[in-house]
Amino acid sequence: MIEGTVAAGFEPVREEFARNFAERGELGAACAIQVDGELVVDLWGGYRDRAGTQPWQRDTLATVYSSTKGVASMAVAVAHSRGLFDYDALVTKYWPEFGQAGKENVTVRQLLGFQAGLPTVDTPLTPELLADPDRLGEVLARQAPAWAPGTAQGYHPLVGGLYVSQLLRRVDPKGRLIGRYLADEVLVPLGIEFYIGTPPTIPEERIAELVPAKPALRDFTTPGGVPTRMLLEFMLPWTLTAKSFSNPRLRDITALSRPPWRELDLPAGNGVGTARSLAALYGEFATGGSRLGVDRATLRAIEADPVPLGTGSRDRVMHLAEARFSLGFWKPFAAWRFGTDSRAYGTPGAGGSFGMADPATRSGFGYVPNRLGRRLWNDPREAALREAFQRCL
């Protein structure tokens, strides 16, 4: 049930892709890798449905959860290259109403780097509210931060993307949210398919059914596993961790892959696309971004090490001892050395998806499954493919 192609020299990636199905519990998945603008790996296989009756097709789409953040951040980077905003400017320069409740000194860089103290909001985020950008903007602007902005970092699972989309809406001359801006300014020039806000016209049979994984002890005891404190606080509704992952309130994690949630502009978590699209997007950035007009200053900013916090790199929401974020992307750190050097960047998604750019090898990587894993990063299926690719190079 494995289909697709690999270029000469990259056969080990296909071997590991096959092992994912034979040994690592894969149901359906796709992996794509682009080097110097050439698609050297384009694989898909297994089944797109829980019952294992519908084969995964070349154009099967899947929800990639927080891997959406990287795609959204590339759209934001295109806007930055066009001079629409400055990463180090105050958010209030572009969105004056944002400066309420102690947020007046938040910079765009801090907002993108999860340092603004805004992992959740007090107002319930219903589909109706999320579909009303004017009212949503008022709610977000009123929110008080959970800590003094710029003094700490904490992952913003879903709400952070709403702030970024509202910011882009205010600097874009056409007033577009991220989903629309991405479609018009990034996806059309590259000729690829990815959605933040999936149109109802997309046939249901094209979208993979997501299947939650059964937890295993090793998922909590290995690098990338859920920290014990995060797991405990996730179950205590008054904690910041629980609040950050429970607004909007979803029936379960797979709800984001179904209407009405997948049709909304949720640039932190409801992206729907293919591994091929992730590889093409990151591959474009890894080779200089010329087709999108991304300037060198923007790329240098993304490739640079994060601006250090005096309080260190501990995460207040996921309770990781170390995590490194910059301009909407994860950056390599001691426990997770993805890519060739520190210039690499990408974003993992709940369940195991991952997209990344490795400027050192001018490559873009994408992996999308439908059986969800339990790691925060470094899912063993994805890691096996990425490490095989690195060995091929």
Side-chain angles (χ1 to χ4, degrees):
M1 295 300 296
I2 295 174
E3 300 187 60
T5 60
V6 294
F10 294 92
E11 294 86 355
V13 180
R14 184 186 180 95
E15 294 168 9
E16 290 299 332
F17 192 67
R19 288 186 64 192
N20 280 349
F21 290 92
E23 303 173 16
R24 303 184 184 107
E26 196 76 277
L27 174 62
C31 176
I33 304 172
Q34 193 175 96
V35 179
D36 269 326
E38 178 188 355
L39 196 60
V40 298
V41 172
D42 186 17
L43 297 170
W44 62 93
Y47 299 93
R48 69 166 187 81
D49 65 321
R50 179 192 296 259
T53 61
Q54 303 296 320
W56 192 292
Q57 304 289 345
R58 184 181 186 277
D59 66 347
T60 293
L61 303 163
T63 301
V64 299
Y65 293 110
S66 284
S67 291
T68 311
K69 291 179 173 67
V71 176
S73 297
M74 284 185 275
V76 170
V78 170
H80 178 267
S81 287
R82 296 177 183 177
L84 298 185
F85 70 93
D86 187 326
Y87 284 132
D88 292 308
L90 296 177
V91 175
T92 53
K93 177 179 179 180
Y94 314 107
W95 182 6
E97 297 81 7
F98 176 86
Q100 301 178 51
K103 304 193 301 298
E104 62 276 3
N105 293 320
V106 175
T107 66
V108 175
R109 184 183 296 274
Q110 290 169 341
L111 185 66
L112 290 169
F114 310 132
Q115 298 176 6
L118 298 169
T120 188
V121 295
D122 299 329
T123 303
L125 296 172
T126 63
E128 294 75 21
L129 175 57
L130 291 166
D132 186 339
D134 292 332
R135 190 156 63 96
L136 178 61
E138 294 171 359
V139 167
L140 297 176
R142 291 197 302 265
Q143 179 64 36
W147 60 80
T151 64
Q153 69 177 21
Y155 194 60
H156 294 16
L158 283 172
V159 172
L162 301 177
Y163 278 99
V164 176
S165 197
Q166 288 281 333
L167 172 64
L168 180 61
R169 182 183 177 217
R170 284 159 174 80
V171 300
D172 174 33
K174 296 183 180 180
R176 291 166 289 185
L177 296 168
I178 280 183
R180 186 72 262 156
Y181 189 90
L182 171 74
D184 295 343
E185 306 296 337
V186 179
L187 303 179
V188 169
L190 296 182
I192 58 177
E193 186 178 23
F194 192 97
Y195 302 102
I196 298 177
T198 303
T201 53
I202 300 297
E204 194 68 33
E205 59 268 22
R206 285 197 60 204
I207 301 176
E209 180 183 7
L210 300 182
V211 181
K214 295 180 180 179
L217 179 62
R218 64 180 178 274
D219 293 325
F220 305 100
T221 59
T222 58
V226 179
T228 301
R229 183 175 173 183
M230 178 183 174
L231 181 64
L232 292 173
E233 292 196 6
F234 191 83
M235 297 183 288
L236 302 174
W238 59 86
T239 64
L240 181 62
T241 297
K243 291 178 180 178
S244 300
F245 283 92
S246 61
N247 193 16
R249 186 169 295 280
L250 306 170
R251 181 176 178 179
D252 61 61
I253 191 174
T254 65
L256 281 176
S257 68
R258 300 188 296 271
W261 301 103
R262 78 176 180 217
E263 297 170 359
L264 299 166
D265 189 83
L266 292 175
N270 76 340
V272 172
T274 64
R276 194 178 306 107
S277 294
L278 289 176
L281 283 162
Y282 280 108
E284 167 68 11
F285 270 66
T287 54
S290 60
R291 295 171 66 189
L292 297 176
V294 182
D295 64 25
R296 187 58 208 158
T298 300
L299 291 173
R300 281 198 300 268
I302 296 171
E303 294 169 8
D305 287 339
V307 175
L309 278 170
T311 54
S313 53
R314 175 174 289 276
D315 188 276
R316 285 198 176 187
V317 173
M318 296 188 293
H319 298 292
L320 303 175
E322 180 188 18
R324 301 174 82 233
F325 307 111
S326 182
L327 303 181
F329 302 97
W330 290 62
K331 296 285 289 179
F333 54 100
W336 190 26
R337 295 292 188 185
F338 66 87
T340 304
D341 59 25
S342 65
R343 290 177 293 165
Y345 51 92
T347 54
S353 65
F354 184 50
M356 62 161 281
D358 188 4
T361 58
R362 295 173 59 83
S363 64
F365 174 93
Y367 166 73
V368 176
N370 67 337
R371 187 188 298 280
L372 305 181
R374 294 283 184 173
R375 306 286 180 88
L376 297 179
W377 72 81
N378 221 34
D379 183 285
R381 299 164 297 174
E382 175 274 319
L385 299 169
R386 179 165 39 86
E387 291 166 6
F389 166 62
Q390 292 291 335
R391 291 195 298 273
C392 294
L393 290 176

